[in-house]
Structure formats: structure tokens, C-alpha cells
């Protein structure tokens, strides 16, 4: 059969003979080396012979012959460059698929990221509009720390593709590159806005976007995005987080302590026992001289504390007593708070002295 294959002038007949030879070596002689050699001879003349390629890859994978498999793919590419044509589809597409396969082996099995990157670049040069190649190329570029090149590859993807899922992924990756690696918050914002054009309720994009708007001092848009997050949120803890964010935007961005106090009060209504919110609200209301509202906030906090945590209330009751006495001229109510402290903690010297 080998002699017959060697003398045949017809590629199809030659390939069929060598395929039979390979199977005979395997089934009769358990000789994988000779079987592999026969299959490589098929591919040397017919680089797109899918049956021979699949069988050869199977044998090489079984024995983890990754370097030899890369060499086989390289030989197939060299033969394809001489004008060989696949049975269906374009030769360019077939060569791209071979290059992508080679790059995958180099990256995943040979741990050769630099070589894999060079291989994928060859695939992209064959067809600059091949979206899946560009996506894989961008992944390798990111892994290699080539963030600018990765962004360029992804920008080509979003220009070429009209697949919403693919665009969602590519815009998100672009946004991450611009925000975290390329120090370009404006382009990161643009990319996240493109994500939201596809998925308006995507919380990940909204979260990143509100932080970016705050970083660049775009307070109106920051407030708008946080408001959208708050509308979507059903978890009380996250609702408090976003409400506090609105308060911070009002205070730091708009310079509006009144509005900030309103937002902190909203947060306290969601979680009356939140110590950090209470502290910030008391600070703001004190600056504004809103003593009645400050008292109301403290009373809400105290009412929300469970019985077993009343020991935590003593400092707040002392604060409330001081405000009632010093700022609102209501000594009787102040005394009630001090007496409550003594009942909760008879050892509290502060309350005893004040009362």
C-alpha cells in the first residue's frame, strides 16, 4: 500500500491508501510512530484533508505531542501557501483556522504566549476583518500586558460586528482597558455607555460608570447613574450604599449640604441603625443648625435598636441630651435621656454627673 501510494499520481487515491496504511499500523502492529508518519505524508500533499488531520491530531494529543502538533500545523500552512485549496470554503479562512489552532496550542499547552501572539497576528493579517481572531488576539494582548494593542484590536471588533452579545462583551473589555490600564476615563465612560445602549439595566456597567463620572467631576451624570442603580436595587444594604452615594455627590460635588442631609436621612429611613450614616447626618445637621431634625434622626436610631443592644445607645442618648439642653432649651427631655443612660448602665459616670 505504501508503494502504491508513493507511485500514485492522484492525490485522492494516494491519500486514501496512506489513511489505510495508518490504520493498519495502529490496528495490526500497534505502531503509532509509523501511523503518524503516514498521516503526515497525507497532509504534506493535501494540507486540508480533514480526516487525516483529525486522526493525526487525535494520536498526537493522546501522547501529549504538542510540539509535534505545532510542527504539523506549520507544515500544513506551508503547503497551503503553495496554493492548496480546501474542499469547501476559502483557503484564507482555512489558513486562519490553522493559525488560530496553533496559537491555542502554543498558549494553553506549550505556555508560549509570545509565540501564540505572533501566530495570531499572522491570522489577523490574512483577514483584518476576522472578528473571532481579533477577539482572541485581544485576549492574548491583555495577558501579555499589551493593553494599547488590545484596545486597538477590540476597537476593530466593535467597528466590524453587529452582534449585540459580542458588542456587549467587547465594549465592556474596552471600558476596563481604558479605565484600569490606559488612564483614559473619558473613553472608558464612552465604552460603558455603549454597553448600556445594549443592556440599559446592566448593574456592572452602571456601577463602573457612576464611579468614573465621580472621578472626573461630572456630578450631574454621576447622580443620574446612581439614581438608576437605586431604582433597580431591592436589597436594603445596597439601597443604603447608593443613597449615601447620592448624599456624597450632593455634598462634595454640588456643595449642597441641605440636599446631602436629605439623602442621608433617606438612608437612615432604610436602615435606622446604620452608625456611619448617623454620624454623617449628625455632622451635617449640626453644621446647618437643624437641631429638631437632628433629634428626630437620633430618636429614629434609638428606636431601631433591639433590646439586647441598648448598651450601644448610651453615647447617642448623651448626644441627644446635650442637643436638647444646649440647643433646644428642653432640659426636662434632656434629663429623661440621661436617666435612661443610668438605667441602661448604672456605672456611666458621665450621665450621673450631668443629671
Amino acid at each position: 500500500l505504501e508503494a502504491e501510494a508513493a507511485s500514485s499520481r492522484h492525490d485522492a487515491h494516494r491519500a486514501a491508501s496512506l489513511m489505510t496504511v495508518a490504520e493498519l499500523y495502529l490496528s495490526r502492529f500497534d505502531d503509532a510512530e509509523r501511523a503518524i508518519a503516514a498521516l503526515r505524508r497525507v497532509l504534506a500533499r493535501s494540507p486540508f484533508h480533514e480526516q487525516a488531520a483529525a486522526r493525526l491530531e487525535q494520536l498526537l494529543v493522546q501522547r501529549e505531542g504538542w510540539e509535534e502538533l505545532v510542527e504539523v500545523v506549520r507544515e500544513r500552512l506551508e503547503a497551503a501557501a503553495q496554493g492548496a485549496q480546501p474542499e469547501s470554503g476559502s483557503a484564507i479562512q482555512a489558513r486562519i483556522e490553522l493559525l488560530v489552532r496553533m496559537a491555542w496550542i502554543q498558549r494553553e499547552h506549550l505556555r508560549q504566549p509570545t509565540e501564540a501572539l505572533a501566530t495570531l497576528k499572522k491570522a489577523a493579517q490574512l483577514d483584518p476583518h476576522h472578528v473571532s481572531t481579533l477577539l482572541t488576539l485581544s485576549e492574548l494582548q491583555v495577558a501579555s500586558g499589551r493593553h494599547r494593542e488590545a484596545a486597538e484590536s477590540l476597537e476593530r471588533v466593535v467597528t466590524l460586528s453587529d452582534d449585540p452579545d459580542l458588542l456587549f462583551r467587547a465594549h465592556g473589555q474596552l471600558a476596563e482597558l481604558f479605565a484600569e490600564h490606559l488612564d483614559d476615563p473619558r473613553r472608558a465612560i464612552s465604552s460603558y455607555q455603549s454597553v448600556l445602549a445594549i443592556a440599559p439595566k446592566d448593574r456592572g456597567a452602571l456601577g463602573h460608570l457612576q464611579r468614573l463620572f465621580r472621578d472626573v467631576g461630572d456630578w450631574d451624570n454621576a447622580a443620574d447613574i446612581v439614581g438608576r442603580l437605586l431604582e433597580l436595587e431591592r436589597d436594603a444594604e445596597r439601597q443604603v450604599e447608593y443613597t449615601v452615594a447620592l448624599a456624597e455627590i450632593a455634598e462634595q460635588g454640588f456643595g449642597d449640604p441641605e440636599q446631602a442631609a436629605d439623602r442621608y436621612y433617606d438612608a437612615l429611613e432604610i436602615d435606622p441603625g446604620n452608625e456611619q450614616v448617623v454620624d454623617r447626618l449628625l455632622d451635617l445637621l449640626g453644621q446647618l443648625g437643624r437641631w429638631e431634625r437632628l433629634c428626630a434622626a437620633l430618636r429614629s436610631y434609638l428606636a431601631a435598636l433591639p433590646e439586647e443592644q441598648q448598651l450601644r445607645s448610651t453615647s447617642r442618648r448623651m448626644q441627644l441630651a446635650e442637643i436638647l439642653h444646649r440647643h433646644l432649651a428642653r432640659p426636662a427631655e434632656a434629663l429623661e435621656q440621661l436617666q435612661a443612660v443610668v438605667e441602661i448602665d448604672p456605672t456611666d459616670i458621665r450621665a450621673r454627673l450631668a443629671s
Side-chain angles (χ1 to χ4, degrees), residues 21-326:
V21 167
E23 294 305 325
L24 285 172
Y25 275 131
L26 288 169
S27 60
R28 298 292 181 87
F29 304 106
D30 194 24
D31 192 338
E33 289 292 344
R34 289 190 175 184
I36 287 170
L39 292 168
R40 291 185 72 162
R41 287 165 61 192
V42 174
L43 294 173
R45 290 280 294 273
S46 305
F48 298 121
H49 194 292
E50 293 303 322
Q51 187 179 358
R55 189 70 173 112
L56 178 56
E57 180 162 336
Q58 181 185 38
L59 292 173
L60 291 175
V61 168
Q62 284 174 355
R63 63 189 209 177
E64 297 188 351
W66 303 113
E67 290 186 359
E68 188 174 357
L69 186 52
V70 166
E71 185 58 34
V72 167
V73 176
R74 187 174 285 113
E75 290 173 357
R76 293 176 66 191
L77 285 164
E78 290 172 357
Q82 302 305 313
Q85 295 291 323
E87 292 183 6
S88 61
S90 72
I92 293 292
Q93 177 63 29
R95 288 167 65 189
I96 288 173
E97 290 174 0
L98 286 173
L99 286 165
V100 170
R101 178 62 175 158
M102 182 192 292
W104 184 82
I105 296 167
Q106 289 169 325
R107 179 179 66 173
E108 298 297 325
H109 296 287
L110 297 178
R111 299 295 185 265
Q112 298 174 338
T114 302
E115 290 81 353
L117 189 57
T119 300
L120 274 179
K121 283 183 177 179
K122 291 177 182 177
Q125 288 168 359
L126 284 174
D127 182 1
H129 301 94
H130 198 271
V131 170
S132 62
T133 300
L134 291 170
L135 278 173
T136 308
L137 179 60
S138 70
E139 290 174 7
L140 275 179
Q141 288 165 331
V142 169
S144 302
R146 300 169 182 261
H147 301 115
R148 181 74 58 188
E149 293 178 20
E152 290 171 358
S153 296
L154 288 167
E155 285 178 323
R156 287 160 66 188
V157 168
V158 300
T159 301
L160 293 168
S161 179
D162 57 2
D163 181 335
D165 292 337
L166 193 152
L167 287 172
F168 175 88
R169 170 186 166 191
H171 281 301
Q173 291 172 337
L174 267 174
E176 184 177 342
L177 283 170
F178 287 133
E180 298 184 11
H181 300 288
L182 299 177
D183 193 25
D184 195 338
R186 289 295 180 186
R187 294 182 77 180
I189 286 170
S190 178
S191 292
Y192 278 127
Q193 287 174 324
S194 295
V195 171
L196 293 177
I198 299 166
K201 295 183 179 181
D202 185 82
R203 298 188 189 190
L206 287 166
H208 287 299
L209 199 51
Q210 65 96 4
R211 284 189 288 274
L212 284 165
F213 277 133
R214 292 176 72 175
D215 288 344
V216 300
D218 189 340
W219 304 109
D220 286 319
N221 277 314
D224 176 67
I225 295 296
V226 175
R228 288 166 65 179
L229 281 164
L230 187 56
E231 288 178 5
L232 293 171
E233 194 55 64
R234 293 295 174 266
D235 177 73
E237 186 176 341
R238 298 303 295 273
Q239 288 178 338
V240 169
E241 176 187 336
Y242 296 137
T243 306
V244 167
L246 287 173
E248 292 171 348
I249 290 168
E251 183 179 4
Q252 300 165 14
F254 299 138
D256 188 342
E258 292 274 8
Q259 184 183 355
D262 287 343
R263 298 291 78 77
Y264 280 122
Y265 207 89
D266 291 341
L268 197 60
E269 288 185 341
I270 300 169
D271 181 8
N274 191 302
E275 294 278 357
Q276 292 179 327
V277 173
V278 170
D279 284 337
R280 194 70 200 104
L281 180 59
L282 296 187
D283 184 52
L284 269 180
L285 291 175
Q287 291 177 32
L288 296 170
R290 300 290 188 268
W291 306 113
E292 288 287 0
R293 200 170 184 192
L294 199 158
C295 286
L298 280 171
R299 291 184 193 279
S300 295
Y301 168 83
L302 293 169
L305 278 180
E307 188 64 32
E308 64 273 13
Q309 294 183 27
Q310 282 301 310
L311 191 60
R312 287 173 51 195
S313 73
T314 56
S315 293
R316 298 298 187 191
R317 290 185 184 278
M318 291 292 292
Q319 286 178 299
L320 180 55
E322 182 178 3
I323 294 164
L324 287 166
H325 177 66
R326 179 178 298 180

